[in-house]
Amino acid sequence: MQTHVVPVGFDYDRLIAPLVRDQLDVDRVILLEGAVGSEANVEYSRNLSRKLEQDFRNLLGATTERLVLADVYDYDAAFEQAYDLINSELDDGGEVWVNVSAMPRPVSFAFATAAHSVMVEREEDREKIHTYYTAPEKYLETELAEELHEQMDLLEDLREECDDERIEDRLESARGLLSEFDERGTTIGAKRIGEGHIVELPVASFSNVKPFEEFILFKLGEDGEFDSVSELAEALSRELNEEYTDSFRSKVIYNVDRLGPGGKGYIEQEEHGKSYRTRLSRIGELWVRAHADGEVPERSGGTSDT
Amino acid sequence: MRMARFQSEAEEPRIRERCNRERRPATWVGIIERWNREMGRLERSESLQYVSGGVANTDGEGRTK
C-alpha cells in the first residue's frame, strides 16, 4: 500500500502531475486542507482539494481521504498530526510518501521533521518513509500582472469612447493592485502569529528514549519546571516508590544530562545559584505531545487541547 | 542561559494537559509498564491497569492483582 500524504495549499498540478508523469504507485491519498485564512482563500484551497480528490481517484485509481489541518501556522499541531498520520499508515503496513510542496512553511517543515523523527524511531521502517518536493513549471502571478496591465490599457482606450464610471473604478483598483505588486511582490504585510510575528521551527528530529528517560520527560511535562535536579529526583523517587539515595540521585542526574542540550536536547536547564532549574525544551514538549496517547476523558469546563 | 523561546508560555498549559495522568491514563500505564519491565518487575504476561490516582498490576486478563 503506497500512501501519499498531501497538504493542499493553492496548487493543483504540482501535487498530482508529477505522480502521473513518473508513474508512481498511488493506492491511497490523504489530502489536508487548511482552515485558517481569509474565507476566499480557504474556499479556494477547499475547491482545489475537492478537484484533487476526484482526480486522484479517476486518474490514479487511489482511495482518498480529506482531513482538516486546523491552523497552518501552528507548527506543533501540524507536527503532531503528521507524526500520528505517518505512524498510523506504517502500522497498517503501508509505505508513506509525504509531499511538502504546498501549504505554508511551518507545515512543510513540521511534516518533513515528523517524517524524519518517525524514521529515527522506527529504524525497521526507514525505507518505507519518503519526503518529497515538486516544483511548478511556471508561476501564474507574473502572467496575471501582465494581463492586468493589458486590460488597463484597453480600459483606458474604452474610457475615451464610453462615459461609464465603472471603467474608472476598475482602472483605479487595478492601478492600486499593480502598484502594490510591483513594490511588494506577491504578498503584503507580516501576520501576527501568537505573541509575535515569528514562528520558531524546532527542526531537530527525535531520538529514541529509554523507559527511565521517558518517565523523566512525562514527569517534567506534567509538573512543569523543577527548581533543581535534586527536586526532580526526589519527585521521581516518590513516584516510583524508590528510596531516595545518592545512587538514585546520580541516576537521575546522568539521565537528565543525556536528555539535556549536550545530548538529546529534550531538556533545558538554567543556572540558578548552585542549582539548575530544569524543564522541557521546545523539542521535548513536542516529544511528549507526540507520544501522549490520544484518549481524553469527558470533563466539564476547561480549555480544549486541540 | 535559557534561549529565547517563542510560544512557550502559551504552550505550557497544553503540555501539562497532555502529560496529565488523569486525562491520559493509557500514556501513564504505558510508561510505568515499560519502566517495570526494564527493571524486571513485570512479567511479559502481566500488564498494568489504571485505577484512579495510580496504576495497579493485573494478571493480563484485566483483573487487578
Side-chain angles (χ1 to χ4, degrees):
Chain A
M1 169 82 82
Q2 306 288 327
T3 300
H4 286 249
V5 177
V6 184
V8 180
F10 303 132
D11 302 271
Y12 169 84
D13 271 355
R14 67 194 296 192
L15 300 185
I16 187 166
L19 309 181
V20 175
R21 287 178 188 163
D22 289 356
Q23 297 184 318
L24 290 185
D25 288 332
V26 184
D27 301 311
R28 176 169 145 75
V29 179
I30 300 170
L31 298 160
L32 291 123
E33 299 166 15
V36 166
S38 72
E39 202 177 318
N41 280 354
V42 170
E43 189 54 29
Y44 184 75
S45 176
R46 192 171 294 149
N47 284 339
L48 283 174
S49 181
R50 280 194 205 109
K51 191 163 150 45
L52 280 164
E53 180 176 43
Q54 206 171 38
D55 290 349
F56 269 118
R57 284 184 189 161
N58 295 339
L59 298 175
L60 292 160
T63 60
T64 56
E65 187 175 353
R66 280 165 57 197
L67 301 176
V68 171
L69 207 157
D71 184 349
V72 293
Y73 300 114
D74 186 342
Y75 177 95
D76 293 7
F79 182 100
E80 186 182 7
Q81 191 166 2
Y83 183 87
D84 289 345
L85 270 176
I86 296 165
N87 271 310
S88 165
E89 293 302 317
L90 292 173
D91 289 344
D92 290 344
E95 193 160 334
V96 186
W97 299 73
V98 182
N99 188 331
V100 294
S101 311
M103 273 209 184
R105 298 320 185 266
V107 174
S108 300
F109 279 99
F111 273 62
T113 312
H116 188 239
S117 290
V118 178
M119 277 186 207
V120 170
E121 292 187 328
R122 299 177 68 141
E123 203 179 330
E124 70 284 5
D125 290 326
R126 195 165 287 180
E127 302 300 316
K128 294 184 188 167
I129 304 167
H130 315 269
T131 307
Y132 68 98
Y133 174 82
T134 55
E137 283 178 324
K138 65 179 178 183
Y139 288 90
L140 287 176
E141 289 101 327
T142 45
E143 289 194 20
L144 283 169
E146 281 303 311
E147 181 58 32
L148 203 50
H149 271 298
E150 298 281 335
Q151 296 199 13
M152 277 173 60
D153 292 344
L154 177 66
L155 285 175
E156 274 165 6
D157 290 347
L158 287 174
R159 187 173 54 178
E160 307 297 315
E161 299 163 18
C162 166
D163 183 22
D164 187 334
E165 65 179 24
R166 288 179 303 169
I167 294 179
E168 191 54 48
D169 288 347
R170 297 274 55 83
L171 269 171
E172 183 94 6
S173 171
R175 259 189 226 111
L177 207 53
L178 280 173
S179 158
E180 290 205 301
F181 182 75
D182 290 342
E183 278 178 33
R184 301 173 166 190
T186 57
T187 58
I188 290 176
K191 187 182 170 71
R192 187 171 183 84
I193 301 171
E195 298 295 303
H197 296 83
I198 290 171
V199 180
E200 190 177 14
L201 306 178
V203 293
S205 61
F206 292 163
S207 38
N208 279 314
V209 301
K210 295 184 171 167
F212 194 65
E213 294 173 332
E214 180 187 33
F215 206 94
I216 292 172
L217 293 174
F218 272 94
K219 186 70 183 160
L220 285 170
E222 190 177 46
D223 290 8
E225 187 173 274
F226 281 83
D227 281 341
S228 66
V229 182
S230 299
E231 281 190 21
L232 170 64
E234 272 190 81
L236 288 167
S237 71
R238 281 195 299 274
E239 189 86 59
L240 296 168
N241 279 330
E242 300 271 352
E243 198 182 340
Y244 183 56
T245 59
D246 284 348
S247 157
F248 186 84
R249 189 167 160 273
S250 298
K251 180 184 171 80
V252 173
I253 291 170
Y254 173 76
N255 279 280
V256 166
D257 278 349
R258 282 170 58 97
L259 291 166
K264 297 177 182 179
Y266 292 148
I267 284 178
E268 62 183 21
Q269 292 183 299
E270 185 182 9
E271 199 170 353
H272 175 65
K274 287 182 179 175
S275 303
Y276 283 90
R277 280 190 181 138
T278 302
R279 55 174 289 157
L280 290 175
S281 67
R282 178 88 189 281
I283 190 84
E285 289 179 347
L286 208 52
W287 188 91
V288 297
R289 189 173 166 162
H291 288 81
D293 289 325
E295 87 288 357
V296 181
E298 284 295 315
R299 60 172 194 162
S300 56
T303 53
S304 164
D305 66 344
T306 54
Chain B
M1 169 125 7
R2 201 155 86 205
M3 296 286 287
R5 284 148 53 96
F6 299 88
Q7 296 183 335
S8 62
E9 299 310 318
E11 192 66 14
E12 193 172 329
R14 190 155 62 172
I15 294 301
R16 284 191 178 207
E17 284 202 356
R18 288 299 165 116
C19 296
N20 181 289
R21 66 195 69 197
E22 294 294 332
R23 298 206 72 207
R24 309 264 170 184
T27 299
W28 279 89
V29 168
I31 292 168
I32 294 170
E33 272 185 356
R34 286 187 283 280
W35 161 251
N36 277 285
R37 287 214 166 86
E38 189 183 67
M39 298 301 286
R41 293 170 184 160
L42 198 63
E43 298 295 326
R44 276 196 175 277
S45 62
E46 289 182 311
S47 63
L48 298 176
Q49 181 177 294
Y50 187 81
V51 291
S52 186
V55 176
N57 199 358
T58 74
D59 58 4
E61 293 176 359
R63 290 190 291 266
T64 304
K65 274 186 174 174

